[in-house]
Amino acid sequence: MRELLPLRKADAHKGDAGRAVICAGSPGFTGAAALSSYAAVKAGAGLVALYTPLSSRDVLAGKLTEVMVHGLLERMPGILGGGATGDVVKNANAADVLAIGPGLGTSESTQQVVRDILLQVQVPVVIDADALTALQGHTEILTQMQAAKVLTPHPGEMARLIGKEISEINADRINIATQYAQEWNAVLVLKGAPTVIACPDGTVYVNSTGSSALATGGSGDVLTGIIAGLAAQEITLQEAAVCGVYLHGKAADISGIDIGLAAGELAQFLPEARCEVLKGN
């Protein structure tokens, strides 16, 4: 981990630390957007911008002091219209990484916007949550994309993507993750105990940090933000995924909390987790 983690020069400014764009949130699911955006900040990204449906903008702007919050065009409250595609693509392509999906919504209109964004974006992409739902029945998009990508499904999402039962996923986690990382030319983070990170070249990492303290709503949104925040800092998407999963678990370990660790608290322990890794602990 010490060899993979991005380091920051002593004279660095915020522009040097990378720009992350997050596309997330909708009415009733603003927490997911807030968690992922704030985690990108705590993971070290210099600038983080959140793009969310217009009807969620004011709520999220009030929740996120350190994140620039922008509203996207809607067909109706919480449902993205086609005009949102160009806005996200333009701003993501001017940044270093895009994370898309947490709490974004599953209406057909929003899902089509997600698919259009994935086909047009050129910077590395972290695909999670509702963006994974948008790919059900459309996984051919993954091989058509111009951008490098990491998928972060839990076993239920993975089962829906490939048409298998959750029990089948959990019984063969490493082989399934490896197969689809290669088939989709993607880094595949198959969440669970333990989390498996499979890479397109056949390399597989099995994570050694974390505990059941992470079994709480929103912890996956935090992971998405961590990976995006790291990927903004001039390391590869594969390195960001490996480091992100490790730090996510390490932060939970450092908290010392076995039950009742809220996802919103988890990001607070990220800087300490990073310092511990760099010290060799």
Side-chain angles (χ1 to χ4, degrees), residues 107-148:
S107 70
E108 180 51 41
S109 180
T110 296
Q111 290 188 24
Q112 186 58 56
V113 168
V114 169
R115 292 191 286 266
D116 291 341
I117 290 170
L118 293 178
L119 285 169
Q120 296 178 42
V121 72
Q122 297 176 356
V123 297
V125 188
V126 185
I127 306 172
D128 185 34
D130 292 337
L132 293 171
T133 299
L135 288 171
Q136 287 176 221
H138 300 277
T139 53
E140 73 283 352
I141 287 172
L142 294 169
T143 59
Q144 298 168 4
M145 289 175 61
Q146 306 171 62

Side-chain angles (χ1 to χ4, degrees), residues 21 23 51 71-75 80-93 98 100 104 108-121:
V21 167
C23 182
Y51 289 79
L72 294 171
L73 293 174
E74 302 169 301
R75 289 187 183 277
L80 293 180
T85 301
D87 201 5
V88 174
V89 170
K90 175 184 175 182
N91 288 283
N93 284 343
L98 168 68
I100 186 167
L104 195 55
E108 180 51 41
S109 180
T110 296
Q111 290 188 24
Q112 186 58 56
V113 168
V114 169
R115 292 191 286 266
D116 291 341
I117 290 170
L118 293 178
L119 285 169
Q120 296 178 42
V121 72

Side-chain angles (χ1 to χ4, degrees), residues 33-99:
L35 289 167
S36 56
S37 300
Y38 186 62
V41 173
K42 298 297 283 185
L47 291 164
V48 179
L50 171 63
Y51 289 79
T52 191
L54 187 60
S55 53
S56 301
R57 181 187 60 185
D58 290 349
V59 170
L60 284 161
K63 290 171 69 71
L64 294 164
T65 306
E66 302 87 357
V67 175
M68 298 169 285
V69 182
H70 306 273
L72 294 171
L73 293 174
E74 302 169 301
R75 289 187 183 277
M76 58 183 68
I79 297 177
L80 293 180
T85 301
D87 201 5
V88 174
V89 170
K90 175 184 175 182
N91 288 283
N93 284 343
D96 297 292
V97 64
L98 168 68

Side-chain angles (χ1 to χ4, degrees), residues 5 27 32-33 37 49 73 85 108 122 131 141 149 160 174 199 209 217 219 228 239-240 244 258 263 267-268 271:
L5 276 174
S37 300
L73 293 174
T85 301
E108 180 51 41
Q122 297 176 356
I141 287 172
K149 61 272 186 187
R160 292 192 290 271
I174 290 177
C199 308
T209 60
S219 64
E239 292 167 340
D258 58 350
Q268 301 294 334

